[in-house]
């Protein structure tokens, strides 16, 4: 079992975000801004869905890793700590998904 956690990835992304964009893909994404990083996150999400639909385990694992990485970059740019996301997930575990969805305010 891996001893690697999303919090580890968050720390790595934060450190690499401070590097030169010439030396780090993370820094390059951060320098390009939220729009570019969000587009890349969307691309990875689509690739993850395609892998899932193809029932390709190897690709699904790989694309899921890409998706999580790019999500961490987007959160970093937005200044949102992973803990905020984890707190929201924890808040939601107190009720069923159907109850949570029904309780959302609609625009």
């Amino acid at each position: 079992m891996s001893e690697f956690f999303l919090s580890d990835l968050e720390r790595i992304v934060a450190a690499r975000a401070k590097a030169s964009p010439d030396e780090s893909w993370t820094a390059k994404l951060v320098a390009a801004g939220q729009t570019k990083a969000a587009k890349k996150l969307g691309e990875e999400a689509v690739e993850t869905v395609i892998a899932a639909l193809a029932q390709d385990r190897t690709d699904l694992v790989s694309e899921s890793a890409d998706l999580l990485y790019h999500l961490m970059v987007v959160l970093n740019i937005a200044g949102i700590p992973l803990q905020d996301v984890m707190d929201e997930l924890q808040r939601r575990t107190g009720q069923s998904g159907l109850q949570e969805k029904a309780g959302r305010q609609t625009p």
Side-chain angles (χ1 to χ4, degrees):
M1 180 170 220
S2 176
E3 290 297 320
F4 188 80
F5 300 95
L6 283 178
S7 57
D8 296 325
L9 180 58
E10 179 183 40
R11 282 190 295 279
I12 291 166
V13 165
R16 291 183 181 171
K18 296 173 186 170
S20 166
D22 295 332
E23 299 172 1
S24 166
W25 170 247
T26 302
K28 191 172 197 163
L29 274 175
V30 170
Q34 187 72 294
T35 300
K36 173 71 174 175
K39 286 180 183 178
K40 188 63 181 162
L41 175 62
E43 290 171 18
E44 297 302 339
V46 169
E47 291 171 2
T48 302
V49 169
I50 291 168
L53 291 172
Q55 298 182 18
D56 185 325
R57 185 184 193 290
T58 301
D59 279 352
L60 182 55
V61 168
S62 178
E63 295 301 340
S64 295
D66 289 345
L67 180 62
L68 290 172
Y69 161 77
H70 285 89
L71 175 59
M72 290 296 110
V73 172
V74 167
L75 291 173
N76 177 275
I77 293 169
I80 298 173
L82 176 61
Q83 189 59 53
D84 288 2
V85 177
M86 301 309 291
D87 290 346
E88 177 63 14
L89 286 170
Q90 183 177 24
R91 182 191 69 76
R92 292 180 183 187
T93 61
Q95 58 187 328
S96 78
L98 295 175
Q99 288 172 326
E100 189 276 330
K101 191 169 185 176
R104 291 184 196 169
Q105 298 208 0
T106 58

